[in-house]
Amino acid sequence: MLFAVTECIGQAKWLLFRERPQRLIDFHDIDEASRGPWSALLLILRIRGRAILASIGAAVLILSLAVDPFIQQVLSYPTRSNPTDEYTPPSIPLVMDWTPPGQVDMGLGSVDAGDLTSALPLSMRAAIYETIFNGGNTNSTLKFDCPSGNCTFAPADTLGFCSTCNDVTVDLTMDCHSASAGEEYPAGTKNTNCTYHLPENIAIGANTTIIDDIYGGPVSRSPNYTQTTNMSIVPLPRAQTLYAAGLIADPGADVVAGPDYKPSTTTFQGIPDPLLAFGRIVFNNSFTPPPVIGSRVKPHATACALGWCVQTLNTSVQNGRLVQSTLRSWLNDSAADVADAYLTPPAAPLNTAQAQAQAPSRTYHISPLANIPLVQFLQKTFTANMSGINLPGSGKTLEEMAELTQWSSDAAQAFWGAEDLGVVMEDLAARMTDALRNAFPDGANSPRGRVYVMQTYVHVSWAWLILPVLLVIFSCVLLLASIITGRGGRGVVWKNSSLAVLLHGFGGGEERGAVVRAGEMEEVARGMRVQLSEGRSGDVRLVAVEQVDREMGSVGTR
């Protein structure tokens, strides 16, 4: 394309000078324009429309610089995820029933008769501890089958856990009184005991113990040794509430309720019959204990609950990473039965008749052999407190004071560091759900998804072809116009031939003297008008027509 354009530009100078007299410098400018884009740009600025064919060719030559970048943009090779049937359909675990295998020795009489937490699967205990100790910052542990690392699943229901936490500080009330110290404390010890009442019958105790060292108390060598409750977590006795005092187990029989058992529904923070319901009070956010517990000190109070629910989950696997979102959660709205707990959510979450026909209402079951150990373990784990110790006059730094902090358990220390208890509980419910689904999957009802693989394809951006196509069209038009203009004897087909310049170059005009330098030749050419004309002998040459004043020529300089 460019070869034809440069040849057309070269031919244009002969056609221009054959038609009428022109400045000799124009011959030079057109000839230079056929050799590169920069000269072509100078030609357009200088010739100013006096040579249409040469100007079109110069424009095409300049725009051709953009052809390569435009062509490179035409084709791209993106990848996209496409479904495939080459692999076994992927699956994710769902749970409809939690009934531990074998028998669990529950002892005789009430739930208080024995500790059944050892019957709780280790995976469930690990999930609870990991979430608490990491402050709720844990990743999903759900096991899934996705051969390619990219899979999608239809929304599906599973048995799981839901949680809630609320700030109840404004609803907090308290009762405080002073009490005498026990025999383990030296004389002069002062106790202040307070009971903080949270909504829904949660009562949390806090106290301050001050030992006046003037009597030589053995605990400290500094005066006014102070031990003060800084945080306390108290769960409601859900095991006793849910299963009353009548659990009797027989190795060969089902668990049955005693004669005094009367199931009733207890709603706590919006969750009916929660597995765990607790309140937490925190007096300050540092290891330094607060002043004496009493009317001057009001803690920050939080109430939380964890219970069974049926979740509708939207699940996918993206680049090997599980992505889940909860479309809805249905909470149990009936009292837990001592023999079994059942959850029967409404049919299909999707608002279409077809979806409801394909997803009828299902019943989810939890055996008391699983429920009771879980309730007891949660109640034990979430019983926690932290006491700060102050030794005024001892010269100890705040860091040294922090080392004297007393924790009731490792979990208590983790709860103290939890900035947002709601986040911890939300993550706890998710990880417990993962552990449950991993340990007790219902293979018959596990959904089968679609496998996606990354495929590379060729994408053509047709818009990037507009400029190259237009340049080809203009090149063809330029070539055709050059042919039509030069036919019929009006022109000569010399194009960029150097022999044509040597044989038919300038022949005539006055003596110019020694003109050697390029600048001198250009100066002369500006003041000279020539035309390609035919002599008497039939020879065609560039002949001087008139001499233009040099000053007039300088006006048209470049």
Side-chain angles (χ1 to χ4, degrees):
M1 180 188 76
L2 292 182
F3 174 77
V5 171
T6 57
E7 292 297 303
C8 289
I9 294 175
Q11 180 66 18
K13 64 179 180 288
W14 299 110
L15 295 176
L16 179 65
F17 280 79
R18 180 69 167 168
E19 183 178 353
R20 58 180 179 271
Q22 305 289 339
R23 296 187 308 166
L24 184 58
I25 193 64
D26 293 339
F27 187 94
H28 168 77
D29 290 339
I30 297 175
D31 187 66
E32 286 292 313
S34 66
R35 290 174 170 81
W38 176 247
S39 299
L41 177 61
L42 295 178
L43 172 66
I44 294 176
L45 297 177
R46 293 169 181 170
I47 206 72
R48 296 181 181 178
R50 288 184 287 112
I52 302 299
L53 293 181
S55 298
I56 294 175
V60 172
L61 196 63
I62 295 171
L63 294 176
S64 66
L65 293 174
V67 170
D68 284 347
F70 272 61
I71 291 297
Q72 291 176 3
Q73 300 299 322
V74 172
L75 297 180
S76 58
Y77 303 92
T79 58
R80 62 183 174 189
S81 183
N82 290 327
T84 179
D85 296 325
E86 297 178 0
Y87 300 93
T88 303
S91 62
I92 53 174
L94 299 178
V95 177
M96 290 191 64
D97 179 89
W98 186 11
T99 301
Q103 296 289 336
V104 178
D105 184 9
M106 301 176 115
L108 297 176
S110 70
V111 176
D112 294 329
D115 183 0
L116 307 177
T117 57
S118 60
L120 188 67
L122 286 175
S123 58
M124 182 64 73
R125 284 182 268 175
I128 295 173
Y129 279 136
E130 181 183 6
T131 305
I132 293 173
F133 292 152
N134 285 282
N137 186 24
T138 60
N139 297 319
S140 176
T141 57
L142 185 68
K143 300 176 182 178
F144 56 88
D145 176 25
C146 179
S148 68
N150 291 279
C151 302
T152 59
F153 302 88
D157 292 347
T158 184
L159 183 64
F161 302 89
C162 293
S163 70
T164 182
C165 279
N166 296 289
D167 187 338
V168 293
T169 304
V170 295
D171 300 319
L172 193 69
T173 60
M174 64 180 179
D175 296 323
C176 297
H177 64 276
S178 297
S180 60
E183 295 180 356
E184 68 272 18
Y185 295 101
T189 299
K190 301 175 184 178
N191 278 352
T192 301
N193 296 326
C194 292
T195 300
Y196 293 87
H197 300 277
L198 282 65
E200 298 167 307
N201 299 321
I202 290 185
I204 302 178
N207 64 81
T208 296
T209 300
I210 303 176
I211 301 177
D212 193 344
D213 200 48
I214 60 175
Y215 298 101
V219 181
S220 171
R221 294 187 179 278
S222 63
N224 295 330
Y225 164 92
T226 305
Q227 178 176 322
T228 304
T229 301
N230 230 0
M231 179 198 74
S232 185
I233 297 178
V234 175
L236 292 177
R238 296 303 300 155
Q240 292 84 344
T241 303
L242 288 172
Y243 295 101
L247 280 181
I248 301 176
D250 186 287
D254 293 334
V255 178
V256 298
D260 298 329
Y261 176 70
K262 295 180 181 180
S264 61
T265 301
T266 301
T267 299
F268 187 89
Q269 296 297 309
I271 294 184
D273 283 335
L275 301 171
L276 171 68
F278 69 91
R280 181 183 77 160
I281 58 173
V282 178
F283 286 90
N284 57 34
N285 294 323
S286 69
F287 289 98
T288 304
V292 176
I293 297 297
S295 59
R296 294 174 299 170
V297 180
K298 187 173 184 179
H300 180 271
T302 307
C304 299
L306 176 75
W308 289 108
C309 66
V310 176
Q311 297 175 326
T312 302
L313 301 176
N314 189 23
T315 307
S316 64
V317 179
Q318 300 175 6
N319 298 323
R321 186 174 65 89
L322 183 71
V323 179
Q324 282 193 142
S325 60
T326 303
L327 300 181
R328 72 163 187 171
S329 296
W330 184 86
L331 299 171
N332 186 14
D333 58 359
S334 62
D337 193 309
V338 67
D340 298 278
Y342 296 96
L343 289 83
T344 306
L350 303 178
N351 297 321
T352 63
Q354 181 181 4
Q356 293 179 1
Q358 294 177 350
S361 177
R362 296 175 176 176
T363 298
Y364 297 81
H365 168 252
I366 306 100
S367 167
L369 303 182
N371 214 24
I372 294 176
L374 176 60
V375 172
Q376 287 186 340
F377 183 82
L378 290 172
Q379 186 169 313
K380 180 184 296 185
T381 303
F382 279 77
T383 300
N385 63 74
M386 170 261 197
S387 296
I389 294 177
N390 193 11
L391 299 175
S394 65
K396 291 185 177 294
T397 64
L398 291 178
E399 290 75 12
E400 291 172 330
M401 291 291 188
E403 294 177 358
L404 299 175
T405 299
Q406 295 180 350
W407 313 96
S408 63
S409 64
D410 292 336
Q413 189 170 358
F415 287 129
W416 170 254
E419 296 182 1
D420 190 337
L421 201 55
V423 173
V424 176
M425 292 302 298
E426 183 178 349
D427 195 59
L428 176 64
R431 298 296 78 79
M432 290 177 63
T433 301
D434 289 346
L436 178 65
R437 293 169 67 184
N438 289 334
F440 301 96
D442 184 356
N445 292 291
S446 295
R448 301 295 174 179
R450 295 294 305 272
V451 178
Y452 286 78
V453 294
M454 300 305 294
Q455 294 180 337
T456 302
Y457 64 98
V458 179
H459 179 263
V460 180
S461 300
W462 297 103
W464 291 101
L465 285 174
I466 295 177
L467 177 63
V469 170
L470 288 177
L471 292 181
V472 171
I473 294 175
F474 278 113
S475 299
C476 294
V477 171
L478 178 63
L479 179 60
L480 183 62
S482 298
I483 294 173
I484 294 175
T485 304
R487 70 178 182 176
R490 292 183 57 200
V492 288
V493 187
W494 291 344
K495 298 177 287 187
N496 287 319
S497 174
S498 58
L499 291 177
V501 178
L502 294 174
L503 295 176
H504 304 279
F506 182 71
E510 62 181 10
E511 185 68 26
R512 292 177 297 279
V515 181
V516 178
R517 294 187 177 88
E520 295 174 343
M521 289 187 289
E522 291 180 5
E523 185 68 22
V524 172
R526 290 191 190 96
M528 185 176 295
R529 295 176 64 82
V530 298
Q531 184 175 7
L532 186 64
S533 60
E534 185 176 347
R536 294 180 180 179
S537 61
D539 184 26
V540 178
R541 283 183 173 276
L542 288 172
V543 179
V545 177
E546 59 180 341
Q547 188 74 22
V548 183
D549 185 80
R550 290 182 181 273
E551 295 182 359
M552 292 295 293
S554 63
V555 175
T557 59
R558 291 173 289 178

